[in-house]
Amino acid sequence: MTEEFNESMIHDIKEGDKVTGEVLEIEEKQVIVHVNGSKFNGIIPISQLSTHHIDTPSDAVKVGDEIGAYVTKVEYDEENETGAYILSKRQLETEKSYEFLQEQLDNNETIEAKVTEVVKGGLVVDVGQRGFVPASLISTDFIEDFSDFEGQVLKLKVEELDPANNRVILSRKAVEELENAEKKDALLSSLNEGDVIDGKVARLTNFGAFIDIGGVDGLVHVSELSHEHVKSPEDVVSIGDDVKVKVKSIDKDSERISLSIKDTLPSPFESIQGEFSEGDVIDGKVIRLAEFGAFVEIKPGVQGLVHISEISHKHIGTPSEVLEPGQEVKVKVLGVDIDNERISLSIKATLPNEESDDHSQESSNEETQSYLDSSSDEDDNPTLGDVFGDKLKDFKF
């Protein structure tokens, strides 16, 4: 009867079974456990006590703890009627961890985990077992040095689970992307045309600068970087610069925001008040040619119009017959309209009057007056778009 009872007891618990028990004794490299419902004790080697690295068994359990474990091996000596179960608490913890992580993956939930180690390829985290965050999934931003993450508790999403290969891949980048999308929606809803806000230069292109205004990038076209003519955005701003920008337009559907740095700066015309008067002869540079005349810069950011009738004493069909962009010229100030930011200039008035007559002089005066009085004649009354040329043209990005 005794032998039959002992054999039934030992064979009732078999390899792969899940058992519970009480920690009886902690030794140097293993733990002795009383297995509930069995005559024999269980042994948990230190390597099977925890999913984490431990130096001694007492780092994972203490005497009197009630624990669960899987039976990995059954040892029985029939001759001496002795036996023992080799147990793995680690295997049970790993199983529970996978069950939890699978649930989070299925429901697209965010979890928190502590970084236990920084390695060359990414971060090792504690998710009830060893989890890994590859370098490419750490952040939406480029991060060169991961050392600051050690010891931090991170918000993560489960990317991949492979129990067969003991593989748990997580992503912090996915959490950041979700947070950034929420910030973007909130920002787009709160922005209005005309708002002046702070931003940081995120990147530069040949057509302008993209400004981070809080999780959303807006474009400052090259024509909106400065009142002065800008050949390249790098001449005005650098990546990382803090800038003030004015919101020019918002397309919430396409998430495109048009910004201006120029509109936050004082107008160059404000600085010339009282500096130039009618009759002054000054130096200038031809910036742009149009059918009706030439635009001449007389101070950085300040251009005046030389009407075609004021370019030469001789009759010319187009300004390009006499002038070219970049040419240095002397001009006479015919009129200054600070309020409308218009200056009328004459090259002809600085040249010897070889072929002028009363009729041509009279015609010139009438055209100049027409320009300053903002007549309806588009050729003789260019708009600010004409004055600043391609600086105000529409752009796409």
Side-chain angles (χ1 to χ4, degrees):
M1 286 289 294
T2 302
E3 288 183 4
E4 290 178 358
F5 176 76
N6 287 340
E7 288 184 11
S8 66
M9 286 293 294
I10 194 69
H11 292 302
D12 280 348
I13 298 176
K14 55 188 178 299
E15 186 177 322
D17 284 353
K18 187 188 299 184
V19 297
T20 60
E22 179 184 348
V23 177
L24 296 178
E25 186 179 349
I26 296 177
E27 299 179 353
E28 184 179 357
K29 295 296 181 181
Q30 63 185 23
V31 170
I32 309 301
V33 179
H34 167 69
V35 178
N36 294 332
S38 174
K39 174 183 176 180
F40 304 111
N41 291 330
I43 299 172
I44 307 178
I46 187 172
S47 64
Q48 297 300 313
L49 269 173
S50 176
T51 56
H52 309 301
H53 172 77
I54 56 174
D55 294 321
T56 63
S58 58
D59 292 337
V61 295
K62 60 181 183 295
V63 173
D65 282 352
E66 284 287 335
I67 62 171
Y70 272 107
V71 178
T72 60
K73 187 177 181 181
V74 178
E75 295 182 345
Y76 179 58
D77 184 344
E78 292 185 8
E79 183 178 345
N80 297 313
E81 296 184 356
T82 59
Y85 304 106
I86 307 302
L87 306 176
S88 174
K89 180 172 174 284
R90 173 181 179 175
Q91 185 178 335
L92 182 60
E93 288 181 350
T94 300
E95 180 184 82
K96 289 181 179 179
S97 172
Y98 273 117
E99 289 175 356
F100 169 76
L101 293 172
Q102 186 64 55
E103 182 180 355
Q104 307 312 301
L105 177 60
D106 293 342
N107 296 320
N108 194 28
E109 296 288 341
T110 299
I111 65 172
E112 291 188 348
K114 185 176 181 179
V115 178
T116 58
E117 188 180 358
V118 176
V119 295
K120 185 177 180 180
L123 308 174
V124 178
V125 296
D126 177 6
V127 287
Q129 60 178 301
R130 186 183 189 275
F132 186 62
V133 185
S136 61
L137 298 181
I138 291 177
S139 178
T140 53
D141 300 321
F142 173 74
I143 298 176
E144 187 172 359
D145 183 9
F146 306 139
S147 59
D148 289 343
F149 285 101
E150 187 160 7
Q152 287 190 28
V153 175
L154 305 180
K155 291 183 178 181
L156 304 166
K157 281 189 177 292
V158 181
E159 284 286 317
E160 181 185 342
L161 291 177
D162 185 359
N165 293 302
N166 209 23
R167 179 181 173 89
V168 179
I169 305 298
L170 304 113
S171 172
R172 177 174 175 266
K173 181 179 179 179
V175 176
E176 284 191 339
E177 288 174 339
L178 181 62
E179 292 174 346
N180 290 341
E182 292 173 349
K183 288 179 182 178
K184 182 181 291 186
D185 290 341
L187 182 59
L188 287 171
S189 298
S190 65
L191 278 183
N192 296 295
E193 291 184 14
D195 288 350
V196 176
I197 54 180
D198 294 320
K200 185 184 290 289
V201 179
R203 55 194 174 95
L204 302 176
T205 69
N206 59 349
F207 55 81
F210 284 94
I211 311 298
D212 180 358
I213 54 175
V216 181
D217 285 354
L219 175 67
V220 177
H221 189 263
V222 65
S223 63
E224 293 295 329
L225 286 170
S226 173
H227 289 291
E228 301 178 28
H229 177 70
V230 177
K231 290 183 178 180
S232 174
E234 290 89 347
D235 296 338
V236 182
V237 292
S238 301
I239 294 175
D241 284 354
D242 293 317
V243 293
K244 280 197 176 295
V245 291
K246 184 176 182 179
V247 179
K248 294 185 70 68
S249 65
I250 309 169
D251 186 341
K252 295 183 180 179
D253 292 335
S254 64
E255 297 182 350
R256 290 182 176 178
I257 304 171
S258 174
L259 306 171
S260 174
I261 292 176
K262 180 176 72 176
D263 287 353
T264 68
L265 305 174
S267 166
F269 277 84
E270 296 176 18
S271 66
I272 66 166
Q273 192 162 6
E275 183 174 346
F276 300 112
S277 302
E278 185 177 335
D280 289 350
V281 176
I282 53 180
D283 294 321
K285 181 167 68 174
V286 177
I287 298 299
R288 187 170 65 92
L289 300 178
E291 291 184 4
F292 51 80
F295 292 96
V296 176
E297 186 176 63
I298 59 174
K299 191 175 182 179
V302 179
Q303 297 178 20
L305 173 66
V306 179
H307 189 270
I308 189 171
S309 63
E310 290 294 332
I311 292 176
S312 175
H313 290 294
K314 298 178 181 180
H315 174 75
I316 58 174
T318 63
S320 60
E321 294 177 19
V322 179
L323 302 172
E324 61 182 22
Q327 183 177 340
E328 302 286 342
V329 294
K330 282 201 176 289
V331 291
K332 183 176 182 179
V333 178
L334 299 181
V336 180
D337 184 349
I338 296 294
D339 293 336
N340 292 307
E341 297 189 347
R342 290 181 176 180
I343 299 177
S344 177
L345 304 171
S346 173
I347 295 175
K348 180 176 71 175
T350 67
L351 303 174
N353 189 351
E354 297 175 350
E355 299 181 14
S356 66
D357 54 35
D358 292 340
H359 176 73
S360 63
Q361 184 64 40
E362 181 180 346
S363 173
S364 172
N365 290 340
E366 288 175 355
E367 289 168 331
T368 298
Q369 187 60 44
S370 174
Y371 165 59
L372 291 175
D373 290 344
S374 302
S375 73
S376 61
D377 187 341
E378 292 184 358
D379 283 348
D380 291 336
N381 183 35
T383 64
L384 278 177
D386 296 322
V387 174
F388 289 98
D390 58 4
K391 290 186 178 182
L392 297 180
K393 68 182 180 182
D394 293 335
F395 57 88
K396 297 180 180 180
F397 60 97

